[in-house]
């Protein structure tokens, strides 16, 4: 965090989310599953803007956008129409982007709304549906690259643009907003944030006394906090040196982790917006909205409340788990095999999440299953290992994805078994086998028999030497009482 006071910082975000659940692009029938494919193989005359072709709206994209608007408490316009945003740039073969516009007779898809973060509401200004441009690929950095490659596989992929009011007061709050937004979109099932480039962001940031600076090209949510921290520190230093921060657009250089000046901000009129004549306006009826509302899946806030009620979790812990859909799903998968939600949540929140955070990894990247976690917790519950051992086993399990019993075996942790567990089982064997106990006072063979019973009871998970020692000690106590 920079030294600027949060009250002096205003941040607004413009988030672009691909609707990754769609089979096809926004206006043509090309597959939208373009990742890992050769460049420029998932294209057709429509997404290439060949004259004479006509776009047709993907109906499912409209459904997705409707669900997003409802989930973000945004008012959906009754009439939906598209505008052309004209610009000349190699990422858009048509030289215009089909988007939406809030002036000249246009309306955004929806207006207003908010995302709740703890007790604060971050207001949404508008939500729009638009097509993604192609992807520009530079050799090294944008400044030094001798050429630019362009891949149109991404051109015409369905995007929703979510624009916030400048309500965000710190880079950390921006990250929290984006985490919440991602969780909402993932709960809706419209967008998978773990796919490369599926959620991108532009940010505008201004400090008191300075103009608004826009940061473009933040290619993942993870980078946003970093980019904003850099930019705020930069502006603060300039202002301390008596320099004026003018309105401009800057580019986030992910490699060097700095923002660089790209161009002075173009004005809206430069885009010469006009209504898209190839797509008819669509009326969004009340019946349509009601139908979608009925099909809305459970959202993070509702899931938080359910977790508190159903699993008896504290609000804070329930919120942490539902902040990431995959973590919340994982938690509930574990509970199919393990019946102590509080204990489980403590391990996930106290150990698993910090590990993912420190390694900057997603859950699916570490190949740890619910069974891994549950086996580990069961080993604690039955006394095979203590908590301290469990923590170290967990760390190894997370980095190697080996099952807990394998790690226990490899580390020969059985030798340092919790004695309490042995004692507990020795006592049970003595209680259940009075005849053999009596015999053991005179007959060594009966001790071997009791030892066998102990091994059966503990499934051989205990160290025989320690077990023998404890068994003999306990038998001695019995003998002394006689
Ligand atoms: Zn196409």
């Amino acid at each position: 965090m920079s030294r600027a006071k949060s009250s002096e910082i205003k941040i607004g975000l413009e988030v672009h989310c691909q609707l990754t659940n769609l089979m096809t692009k926004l206006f043509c029938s090309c597959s939208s599953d373009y990742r890992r494919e050769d460049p420029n193989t998932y294209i057709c005359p429509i997404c290439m803007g060949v004259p004479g072709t006509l776009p047709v709206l993907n109906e499912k994209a409209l459904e997705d956008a409707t669900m997003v608007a409802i989930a973000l408490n945004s008012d959906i316009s009754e009439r939906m129409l598209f505008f052309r945003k004209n610009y000349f740039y190699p990422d858009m073969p048509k030289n215009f982007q089909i988007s939406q516009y809030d002036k000249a007779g246009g309306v955004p898809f929806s207006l207003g709304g908010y995302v709740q973060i703890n007790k604060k509401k971050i207001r949404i200004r508008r939500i729009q549906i638009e097509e993604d441009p192609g992807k520009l690929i530079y050799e090294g950095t944008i400044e030094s690259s001798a050429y630019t490659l362009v891949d149109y596989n991404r051109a015409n992929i369905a995007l929703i643009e979510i624009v916030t009011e400048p309500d965000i007061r710190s880079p950390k709050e921006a990250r929290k907003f984006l985490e919440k937004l991602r969780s909402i979109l993932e709960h809706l099932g419209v967008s998978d944030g773990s796919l490369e480039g599926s959620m991108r962001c532009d940010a505008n940031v201004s400090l008191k006394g300075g103009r608004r600076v826009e940061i473009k090209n933040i290619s993942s949510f993870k980078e946003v906090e970093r980019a904003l921290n850099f930019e705020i520190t930069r502006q603060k230093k300039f202002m301390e040196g008596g320099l004026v921060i003018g309105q401009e657009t800057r580019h986030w250089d992910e490699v060097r982790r700095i923002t660089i000046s790209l161009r002075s901000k173009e004005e809206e009129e430069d885009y010469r917006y006009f209504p898209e004549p190839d797509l008819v306006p669509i009326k969004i009826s009340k019946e349509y909205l009601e139908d979608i509302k009925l099909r809305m899946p459970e959202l993070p806030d509702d899931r938080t409340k359910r977790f508190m009620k159903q699993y008896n979790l504290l609000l804070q812990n329930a919120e942490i788990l539902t902040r990431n859909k995959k973590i919340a799903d994982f938690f509930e998968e574990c509970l199919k095999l393990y019946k102590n939600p509080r204990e489980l949540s403590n391990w996930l929140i106290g150990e698993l999440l910090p590990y993912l955070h420190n390694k900057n990894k997603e859950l699916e990247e570490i190949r740890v299953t619910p069974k891994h976690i549950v086996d580990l917790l069961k080993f604690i519950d039955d006394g095979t290992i203590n908590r301290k051992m469990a923590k170290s086993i967990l760390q190894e399990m997370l980095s190697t994805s080996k099952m807990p019993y394998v790690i226990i075996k490899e580390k020969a942790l059985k030798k340092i078994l919790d004695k309490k567990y042995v004692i507990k089982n020795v006592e049970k064997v003595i209680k259940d086998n009075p005849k053999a106990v009596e015999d053991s006072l005179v007959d060594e063979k009966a001790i071997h028999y009791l030892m066998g019973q102990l091994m059966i009871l503990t499934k051989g998970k205990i160290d025989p030497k320690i077990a023998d020692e404890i068994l003999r000690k306990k038998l001695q106590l019995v003998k002394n009482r006689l």
Side-chain angles (χ1 to χ4, degrees):
M1 183 65 203
S2 83
R3 283 162 296 162
K5 284 197 201 107
S6 63
S7 60
E8 299 167 340
I9 301 169
K10 281 186 179 174
I11 298 168
L13 298 174
E14 204 173 288
V15 186
H16 294 101
C17 301
Q18 290 182 340
L19 300 174
T20 57
N21 68 327
L22 300 181
M23 304 295 286
T24 57
K25 294 184 179 184
L26 186 53
F27 299 118
C28 68
S29 57
C30 289
S31 167
S32 61
D33 189 15
Y34 66 91
R35 290 178 176 82
R36 303 180 306 275
E37 299 301 330
D38 287 338
N40 301 307
T41 51
Y42 278 35
I43 54 173
C44 74
I46 296 172
C47 53
M48 288 297 93
V50 173
T53 57
L54 288 172
V56 178
L57 178 66
N58 183 333
E59 209 184 320
K60 187 80 171 52
L62 182 61
E63 260 184 57
D64 283 2
T66 303
M67 284 207 287
V68 173
I70 293 171
L72 302 186
N73 316 290
S74 191
D75 284 330
I76 296 168
S77 306
E78 279 178 32
R79 193 163 165 266
M80 188 189 69
L81 66 167
F82 288 98
F83 265 62
R84 285 187 183 181
K85 180 183 183 180
N86 293 279
Y87 66 91
F88 179 76
Y89 207 57
D91 62 1
M92 193 51 92
K94 298 196 292 279
N95 286 340
F96 61 83
Q97 178 188 29
I98 302 178
S99 179
Q100 296 184 307
Y101 195 47
D102 56 358
K103 298 187 189 85
V107 281
F109 179 72
S110 71
L111 271 170
Y114 62 88
V115 169
Q116 184 97 28
I117 304 171
N118 302 330
K119 289 198 170 73
K120 183 174 170 177
K121 280 179 178 157
I122 308 288
R123 288 172 301 155
I124 303 291
R125 183 177 291 170
R126 60 158 196 269
I127 300 172
Q128 297 192 159
I129 306 175
E130 61 186 28
E131 57 180 331
D132 209 350
K135 190 177 183 191
L136 300 179
I137 299 145
Y138 308 102
E139 172 79 38
T141 71
I142 188 172
E143 282 176 312
S144 62
S145 184
Y147 54 84
T148 305
L149 298 171
V150 57
D151 177 5
Y152 290 121
N153 284 351
R154 201 181 75 182
N156 200 349
I157 291 284
L159 281 186
I160 46 169
E161 181 191 72
I162 298 162
V163 182
T164 77
E165 298 289 348
D167 287 349
I168 297 165
R169 294 286 170 267
S170 70
K172 194 175 161 197
E173 197 169 78
R175 175 170 55 77
K176 282 190 175 166
F177 168 82
L178 293 170
E179 274 173 2
K180 183 74 180 271
L181 180 65
R182 176 176 165 177
S183 182
I184 292 170
L185 296 176
E186 293 191 340
H187 275 85
L188 291 173
V190 300
S191 191
D192 181 351
S194 65
L195 295 174
E196 182 259 325
S198 62
M199 291 184 183
R200 313 191 296 274
C201 192
D202 296 339
N204 57 70
V205 50
S206 62
L207 269 55
K208 201 177 173 187
R211 299 289 300 278
R212 208 178 83 129
V213 173
E214 196 169 348
I215 313 168
K216 293 257 184 201
N217 189 48
I218 309 175
S219 66
S220 77
F221 282 9
K222 282 178 189 163
E223 290 285 308
V224 174
E225 190 175 8
R226 199 178 271 152
L228 285 168
N229 272 324
F230 175 87
E231 183 56 24
I232 288 166
T233 308
R234 188 192 70 86
Q235 290 188 20
K236 182 92 180 158
K237 275 190 183 151
F238 266 58
M239 287 162 88
E240 279 167 2
L243 295 165
V244 176
I245 296 291
Q247 186 168 335
E248 64 169 338
T249 300
R250 298 178 71 84
H251 176 96
W252 172 243
D253 186 329
E254 235 179 73
V255 183
R256 291 184 290 170
R257 293 183 177 171
I258 56 170
T259 64
I260 49 175
S261 186
L262 211 56
R263 55 192 145 132
S264 62
K265 172 85 179 130
E266 63 283 277
E267 298 298 326
E268 213 166 64
E269 47 266 33
D270 296 338
Y271 288 120
R272 300 177 53 197
Y273 278 95
F274 67 86
E276 165 61 65
D278 290 341
L279 288 159
V280 290
I282 292 171
K283 188 181 178 317
I284 311 236
S285 68
K286 285 209 166 65
E287 295 74 38
Y288 179 79
L289 293 182
E290 286 308 315
D291 176 53
I292 300 236
K293 268 182 202 164
L294 287 175
R295 286 189 277 134
M296 292 278 283
E298 184 182 39
L299 290 170
D301 286 350
D302 294 328
R303 202 173 191 186
T304 300
K305 284 183 202 137
R306 179 167 66 79
F307 276 15
M308 290 170 69
K309 217 177 142 198
Q310 186 175 348
Y311 305 128
N312 194 24
L313 298 187
L314 299 171
L315 170 67
Q316 198 198 358
N317 288 356
E319 256 174 9
I320 293 172
L321 292 171
T322 58
R323 211 178 271 166
N324 180 321
K325 179 173 186 287
K326 282 166 189 149
I327 298 291
D329 291 346
F330 187 82
F331 172 70
E332 294 210 276
E333 280 303 312
C334 288
L335 286 178
K336 288 180 185 164
L337 308 165
Y338 187 70
K339 298 298 166 209
N340 188 344
R342 277 210 165 196
E343 177 74 2
L344 175 66
S345 73
N346 288 340
W347 280 88
L348 296 188
I349 292 168
E351 303 293 326
L352 177 69
L353 293 183
Y355 177 87
L356 292 173
H357 180 79
N358 293 337
K359 300 275 175 189
N360 203 17
K361 280 191 172 168
E362 302 270 342
L363 178 63
E364 60 269 28
E365 288 177 86
I366 59 168
R367 294 182 296 132
V368 163
T369 64
K371 189 162 174 17
H372 279 91
I373 300 283
V374 168
D375 276 7
L376 184 71
L377 298 188
K378 284 182 176 169
F379 278 130
I380 303 171
D381 291 348
D382 72 10
T384 305
I385 51 174
N386 62 31
R387 281 164 187 280
K388 206 176 149 209
M389 288 175 207
K391 281 186 186 183
S392 98
I393 293 166
L394 180 71
Q395 288 301 315
E396 188 171 338
M397 187 175 95
L398 294 173
S399 59
T400 62
S401 70
K402 282 180 191 163
M403 292 305 287
Y405 78 90
V406 176
I407 300 169
I408 291 172
K409 245 183 180 169
E410 282 176 1
K411 285 188 178 253
L413 282 176
K414 284 198 211 168
K415 294 238 163 69
I416 44 167
L417 270 183
D418 217 343
K419 278 194 179 175
K420 265 198 289 186
Y421 175 69
V422 180
I423 292 168
K424 194 178 87 188
N425 284 288
V426 164
E427 282 168 352
K428 187 167 167 29
V429 166
I430 288 177
K431 190 166 157 260
D432 293 349
N433 299 280
K435 176 80 176 57
V437 170
E438 211 186 310
D439 293 349
S440 73
L441 303 178
V442 289
D443 186 0
E444 179 75 11
K445 269 187 209 150
I447 295 181
H448 293 160
Y449 171 79
L450 288 169
M451 192 65 192
Q453 293 303 304
L454 184 59
M455 283 299 172
I456 291 167
L457 189 63
T458 57
K459 300 191 183 79
K461 281 189 293 196
I462 54 173
D463 181 57
K465 233 175 100 189
I466 295 173
D468 186 68
E469 198 181 295
I470 291 172
L471 179 64
R472 283 175 193 274
K473 239 184 226 164
K474 289 274 169 189
L475 289 173
Q476 190 59 47
L477 287 176
V478 175
K479 196 174 174 182
N480 291 347
R481 276 206 298 272
L482 293 174

